[in-house]
Amino acid sequence: MKNIKLILIFFITLSLTVIAQKKSFKERADSVLALMTLEEKVGQLVQYSGDWATGAETSRPKEGSDELIRKGKVGSFLNITGVSKIKKLQKIAVEESRLKIPLIFGLDVIHGYEATFPIPLAEASTWNPALVEKSARMQAIEASAAGINWTFNPMVDIAHNPRWGRIMEGSGEDPYLGSVMAAARVRGYQGNDLSANNTILACVKHYAAYGGAEGGRDYNTVDMSERNFRDFYLPPYKAAIEAGAGSLMACFNEIGGVPASSSQFLMTHILRNEWKTDAFVVSDWNSIGELIPHGVAKDLKQAAELGIKATVDMDMESNAYYYHLVDLVKEGKVDIKFVDDAVRRVLIAKFKLGLFDDPYKYCDEEREKKTIMSKEIIKATKEVALESIVLLKNEKNLLPLSKKLKSIAVVGQLAKSKDDPLGGWSQKGDSNSVVSILEGIEKKVGKEIKINYAVGAKFKGNDKSGFKEAIKVAKKSDVIIAVVGEGRYMNGEAASRATLDIPGVQEDLLKELKKTGKPIVVVLMNGRPLTIPWVQENVNSILEIWSPGISGGDAVADIIFGDYNPSGKLPVTFPRYVGQVPIYYNHKNTGRPHNPNDHYTSYYMDLENTPLYPFGFGLSYTTFEYSDIKLDKKEIKMNETLKVSVEVKNSGEREGSEVVQLYIRDLVGSVTRPVKELKDFVKINLKPGETKKVDFIITPDKLKFHDINMNYVVEPGDFKVFVGTNSIDVKEASFKVIE
Ligand code: BGC
């Protein structure tokens, strides 16, 4: 009898467990929600920063972190790293708070935790989504080992204005490339199984259109048509959500008079109603509090009301929910449903991460020690750096340099810097682990070539006292490698610039070096397009290396000496002069496109319209020849697909990779369409003399846009299709879409 009872108990327990496991995240979240007091619910919606601030200080509650956790008054922290600290706080949450709800720890893992990869704009220059996914995977493996379970990335803001410092955090100017990269990063961070201990929750930011800031000045006003917004700015956020991103961050800016953190249109209408996502929204740093200076809330209480009603679920640092949300509900100003929905979404994320099953799954000191800066991750930083470097000029094949040279002058503060290659948002990135460009070159050439280094010019200030020495070392060397550009804090957040020149006196130094008559290789280290017409005109070779991360020096040396053939392509247009900005390849034609024979057309009197380097541009040490385009049909119905084929031949003498790019143009629409739109690309590797056939399939989705009635449709009519090596050098063909 006793045995039968035991067996029965066993089976009942087992089936209850099975039922519990079968419950959806929503059901599990609801079962927790049912136990919570109003104060505990609000607590889940509050996030505070731990060890350092990434925005202005705000007036925090008096209780310290431990007390807030114990009382269930905080649901998440950011800017706390390392297993020991995180474990301690998590322990208070799951052992000392009434409901034992685990905390979620967020961090800006933008291009690495400690092993720093190239900046995201550089990663986009690889045009290799699989590699970008691998980078995000590695970043997640490292960050998760340090206790982090949520990254505020991918940053997917489209930017047409390089004056905006945060262009370095995104994938450039194009909605298609941006969408592909956004999805790749989400897949990398979140992996196949978000509940694994080495995957982390992604946060798509900054929702939405932060990159459209007027004049490129950070935090500035954004105003654009809904059509422009939906066709060009919104797609990468959507792609990230479709790839499964578990959270989003509301941006600081307003769009058309409504700050994002109070925008029913962005949050309720698009996210919840159109995209039907349960991803939760975190505000940006104090962005709910900033509804006051924006001028839509008279005080913090009203800001809290606007934020929660717009379904901004978690309040990062503005204290609005902490101080006012309980009262707003009690006073009947905010329906409890808004709070419940927000809490449910936050709890769902915690369930998805498996934190309820094991709150310490990210807290293994042994794993932390083994994983941070592991060989495998460092190796990947170099792989990405190699593919992200863009060869912008290579007159008479000066590059790759011969290993038989006798001497090389390496010039520039940035050549020796072990700090600046890290770039902005480099978290735990340690300059001691960085291979500087000078070190990379020295390692590569060993004792065979004499390296003569001189600072020459710093990236800031007007001091020319180093020129003399730089000229001296240049004169006694066979070739000059000048590393110039921006320091690591000259781009990124709150680092907008009114000019896009190479800062300081670095270009003046180049002008002096030019007078020595020695061949010059310019290595550009920067986080945004710079205006470098003089450099393009006057030096022999130019490599765009962006902020290349810890292995930048090794990657640059491999490329300079030909152990790697560059294959990066620009994800953003380089203007000739700042006055051309905003300049982007997928612009409209206007009613008066420029015609040199007609005065009354669209142009500048003092400068040509064209960019210095177009979107998609990048050279190789070999050459590629494109055949004419073949289409499998000349006409398709609106729901049919079309195959576009082209043959690409490596017509040079080295193995190399080429990004084959496909663009379309819809010639006549119910609304105007861009002169070109990237719709597909593929990166192929070709041996010398080898030819490969590349097929692209144009699906109806690739032809859709928001028509005159804002419906997302394919319109019948004539189209052009272009395939080529960048957005300007293309072959073209035509097809028709019929009803
Ligand atoms: C930035 C966000 C970042 C947040 C937290 C803000 O200043 O705009 O991108 O995720 O700080 O560090």
Side-chain angles (χ1 to χ4, degrees):
M1 192 58 189
K2 204 175 155 203
N3 275 352
I4 294 178
K5 252 190 184 169
L6 274 178
I7 291 169
L8 257 178
I9 291 171
F10 173 76
F11 277 111
I12 291 169
T13 321
L14 188 71
S15 38
L16 282 178
T17 320
V18 172
I19 291 169
Q21 278 172 353
K22 276 196 174 159
K23 278 188 172 171
S24 66
F25 292 127
K26 179 177 174 299
E27 286 167 320
R28 293 178 79 182
D30 279 339
S31 65
V32 179
L33 200 57
L35 306 172
M36 298 172 84
T37 63
L38 175 58
E39 286 74 9
E40 283 164 338
K41 288 178 182 175
V42 170
Q44 285 304 306
L45 310 182
V46 172
Q47 185 189 51
Y48 284 119
S49 181
D51 291 349
W52 66 91
T54 30
E57 299 277 340
T58 59
S59 24
R60 286 272 198 88
K62 283 187 207 65
E63 302 114 304
S65 300
D66 294 6
E67 202 46 25
L68 287 172
I69 303 172
R70 227 168 257 129
K71 291 184 180 157
K73 287 186 163 188
V74 62
S76 170
F77 284 94
L78 74 151
N79 297 344
I80 298 181
T81 54
V83 167
S84 73
K85 278 188 188 167
I86 287 178
K87 197 175 184 178
K88 188 175 147 269
L89 299 178
Q90 193 68 294
K91 195 159 187 283
I92 304 177
V94 299
E95 291 181 19
E96 296 177 41
S97 74
R98 190 181 78 91
L99 287 177
K100 308 185 185 337
I101 300 173
L103 296 160
I104 176 170
F105 292 90
L107 186 74
D108 296 283
V109 182
I110 306 296
H111 52 117
Y113 175 74
E114 186 167 335
T116 307
F117 285 78
I119 54 170
L121 190 63
E123 290 199 333
S125 309
T126 65
W127 292 58
N128 183 346
L131 188 61
V132 171
E133 180 176 337
K134 178 173 170 183
S135 162
R137 188 82 284 283
M138 294 289 160
Q139 297 172 39
I141 289 171
E142 205 191 26
S144 63
I148 301 303
N149 31 57
W150 181 23
T151 175
F152 304 126
N153 211 28
M155 185 284 211
V156 305
D157 306 328
I158 295 297
H160 288 170
N161 199 328
R163 284 182 288 172
W164 189 52
R166 301 198 79 169
I167 197 169
M168 57 78 69
E169 284 174 60
S171 294
E173 73 188 33
D174 183 62
Y176 181 76
L177 182 64
S179 298
V180 170
M181 292 302 167
R185 290 196 169 105
V186 171
R187 288 195 302 270
Y189 289 126
Q190 298 196 163
N192 298 328
D193 175 10
L194 202 45
S195 73
N197 67 1
N198 64 5
T199 52
I200 57 180
L201 194 76
C203 181
V204 192
K205 72 186 189 186
H206 303 82
Y207 185 69
Y210 182 27
E214 279 177 6
R217 209 181 66 219
D218 210 358
Y219 318 120
N220 204 4
T221 306
V222 176
D223 204 348
M224 63 176 71
S225 70
E226 186 179 342
R227 179 170 292 105
N228 188 19
F229 176 63
R230 285 189 182 269
D231 280 338
F232 298 99
Y233 284 79
L234 207 50
Y237 305 97
K238 185 155 188 257
I241 289 297
E242 282 171 357
S247 69
L248 298 100
M249 185 182 289
C251 54
F252 292 119
N253 54 281
E254 67 161 84
I255 308 182
V258 186
S261 294
S262 64
S263 172
Q264 299 282 336
F265 173 71
L266 285 183
M267 308 297 163
T268 320
H269 188 62
I270 297 186
L271 277 191
R272 309 300 176 201
N273 299 344
E274 287 186 17
W275 298 354
K276 306 204 182 319
T277 174
D278 66 4
F280 79 90
V281 178
V282 63
S283 75
D284 203 341
W285 183 285
N286 192 33
S287 68
I288 297 180
E290 288 169 17
L291 295 176
I292 305 169
H294 267 299
V296 293
K298 65 176 186 301
D299 54 24
L300 199 57
K301 188 165 180 180
Q302 195 187 0
E305 180 180 344
L306 291 173
I308 193 76
K309 285 186 173 166
T311 81
V312 177
D313 303 317
M314 190 180 274
D315 175 1
M316 181 195 288
E317 276 288 342
S318 78
N319 304 293
Y321 292 180
Y322 177 86
Y323 286 119
H324 301 294
L325 202 44
V326 169
D327 287 347
L328 284 166
V329 174
K330 285 188 178 156
E331 289 161 13
K333 290 198 174 121
V334 166
D335 191 324
I336 185 70
K337 194 179 171 316
F338 285 107
V339 175
D340 283 349
D341 287 349
V343 176
R344 186 180 299 108
R345 284 188 284 263
V346 171
L347 293 176
I348 285 176
K350 292 184 177 182
F351 273 111
K352 282 184 184 166
L353 283 165
L355 286 169
F356 278 94
D357 301 319
D358 178 4
Y360 300 116
K361 52 192 292 226
Y362 297 88
C363 296
D364 174 348
E365 267 109 351
E366 274 310 298
R367 176 157 79 102
E368 184 177 34
K369 267 189 231 136
K370 269 199 297 200
T371 314
I372 308 292
M373 292 292 282
S374 74
K375 274 198 186 130
E376 192 195 4
I377 305 181
I378 295 176
K379 192 168 157 232
T381 63
K382 181 172 171 195
E383 228 182 297
V384 179
L386 281 169
E387 280 203 45
S388 69
I389 292 171
V390 188
L391 178 64
L392 295 176
K393 181 177 182 188
N394 199 17
E395 196 177 60
K396 296 196 190 122
N397 294 330
L398 172 64
L399 290 179
L401 294 183
S402 157
K403 288 178 188 156
K404 290 192 183 122
L405 290 172
K406 289 209 173 59
S407 57
I408 298 176
V410 178
V411 172
Q413 179 192 14
L414 288 171
K416 203 172 179 178
S417 170
K418 287 172 76 71
D419 191 39
D420 299 292
L422 289 169
W425 290 112
S426 51
Q427 289 306 347
K428 298 278 160 187
D430 178 357
S431 47
N432 292 316
S433 322
V434 170
V435 182
S436 72
I437 310 306
L438 180 62
E439 284 170 341
I441 292 171
E442 281 172 343
K443 259 203 269 174
K444 175 71 65 186
V445 301
K447 295 207 167 74
E448 305 302 309
I449 304 178
K450 174 106 177 53
I451 302 296
N452 302 312
Y453 174 72
V455 178
K458 299 197 169 154
F459 54 76
K460 261 190 186 164
N462 297 321
D463 183 7
K464 295 189 176 178
S465 61
F467 281 24
K468 211 168 143 205
E469 178 64 14
I471 293 162
K472 197 169 124 199
V473 301
K475 281 186 177 158
K476 61 178 185 191
S477 306
D478 297 335
V479 178
I480 305 164
I481 300 177
V483 186
V484 297
E486 296 181 315
R488 94 187 249 208
Y489 299 112
M490 295 179 96
N491 50 69
E493 186 171 354
S496 296
R497 293 182 54 196
T499 65
L500 294 171
D501 303 336
I502 302 176
V505 290
Q506 296 174 98
E507 193 165 302
D508 294 339
L509 173 66
L510 294 178
K511 287 178 180 159
E512 292 305 316
L513 292 174
K514 165 96 180 161
K515 291 181 192 157
T516 65
K518 303 281 173 156
I520 305 178
V521 177
V522 163
V523 174
L524 279 176
M525 190 187 291
N526 49 310
R528 54 154 66 84
L530 296 175
T531 43
I532 52 163
W534 184 90
V535 181
Q536 166 63 24
E537 194 63 37
N538 290 284
V539 308
N540 308 77
S541 298
I542 308 172
L543 278 176
E544 172 57 80
I545 67 164
W546 310 108
S547 305
I550 54 170
S551 302
D554 283 333
V556 169
D558 276 6
I559 289 183
I560 286 185
F561 293 97
D563 294 330
Y564 186 86
N565 187 354
S567 63
K569 300 271 186 178
L570 296 177
V572 63
T573 303
F574 271 49
R576 294 172 190 277
Y577 186 72
V578 69
Q580 289 180 306
V581 167
I583 181 170
Y584 47 94
Y585 84 96
N586 48 0
H587 60 84
K588 303 295 184 66
N589 201 36
T590 82
R592 294 186 176 191
H594 182 221
N595 172 356
N597 303 319
D598 184 349
H599 177 62
Y600 292 104
T601 57
S602 183
Y603 70 102
Y604 297 109
M605 285 172 70
D606 47 0
L607 197 75
E608 41 192 303
N609 285 0
T610 57
L612 188 62
Y613 308 114
F615 174 80
F617 179 78
L619 304 170
S620 163
Y621 292 156
T622 189
T623 46
F624 299 102
E625 271 172 26
Y626 282 69
S627 72
D628 285 338
I629 300 175
K630 287 207 180 85
L631 305 180
D632 70 339
K633 295 170 214 125
K634 276 282 176 199
E635 234 176 55
I636 52 167
K637 295 213 175 99
M638 280 150 73
N639 57 357
E640 284 178 348
T641 60
L642 175 80
K643 186 154 104 184
V644 179
S645 310
V646 73
E647 287 189 355
V648 184
K649 180 177 177 193
N650 180 344
S651 49
E653 275 150 29
R654 282 173 165 267
E655 182 173 346
S657 293
E658 166 73 334
V659 179
V660 185
Q661 304 166 32
L662 177 125
Y663 298 84
I664 61 141
R665 177 168 181 183
D666 186 344
L667 289 176
V668 181
S670 60
V671 292
T672 60
R673 305 300 305 138
V675 295
K676 260 180 206 137
E677 291 177 272
L678 181 74
K679 289 295 170 182
D680 213 343
F681 62 87
V682 63
K683 195 166 190 171
I684 53 170
N685 189 271
L686 294 169
K687 301 237 153 41
E690 189 183 350
T691 299
K692 273 188 186 156
K693 180 165 173 263
V694 174
D695 292 333
F696 293 108
I697 304 294
I698 299 187
T699 59
D701 266 353
K702 294 193 185 286
L703 304 179
K704 283 185 181 165
F705 63 95
H706 290 90
D707 71 1
I708 190 94
N709 301 312
M710 289 302 287
N711 294 318
Y712 192 57
V713 293
V714 181
E715 284 184 349
D718 290 318
F719 285 77
K720 276 191 177 168
V721 54
F722 314 87
V723 180
T725 181
N726 62 54
S727 58
I728 288 189
D729 299 319
V730 288
K731 300 272 176 145
E732 85 178 56
S734 303
F735 67 95
K736 206 183 237 329
V737 174
I738 53 170
E739 287 197 59

